[in-house]
Amino acid sequence: MPVTLLMGSLDEAALRAELARWGPYAEELAAIDDATVVRLGTGHWPQFSAPAALARALVEAFAEDAPREDAPA
């Protein structure tokens, strides 16, 4: 299952470095085969500080993971 992590200020390297200090959380992220980290460049509440950027990132994440019409059932 593809996973998209929308981060306010952390990029993927910073997220992984932070989680490495948290033990099991880093293991959970490492166990995901298809993880994409998207840095929004916002603070803790992007729905207030950058709602348009958050909305675009959500739409893009869902569009990437949506089943294609030509995919076998």
Side-chain angles (χ1 to χ4, degrees), residues 20-62:
R21 300 180 318 148
W22 295 11
Y25 295 103
E27 294 168 12
E28 284 187 35
L29 180 57
I32 301 170
D33 291 331
D34 188 0
T36 302
V37 177
V38 177
R39 182 181 176 273
L40 298 172
T42 67
H44 187 70
W45 296 97
Q47 64 271 35
F48 297 119
S49 61
L54 176 61
R56 278 191 303 275
L58 288 168
V59 168
E60 289 173 9
F62 285 116

Side-chain angles (χ1 to χ4, degrees), residues 1-15:
M1 169 82 54
V3 173
T4 300
L5 297 111
L6 300 177
M7 305 304 301
S9 61
L10 299 178
D11 61 15
E12 185 169 355
L15 173 63

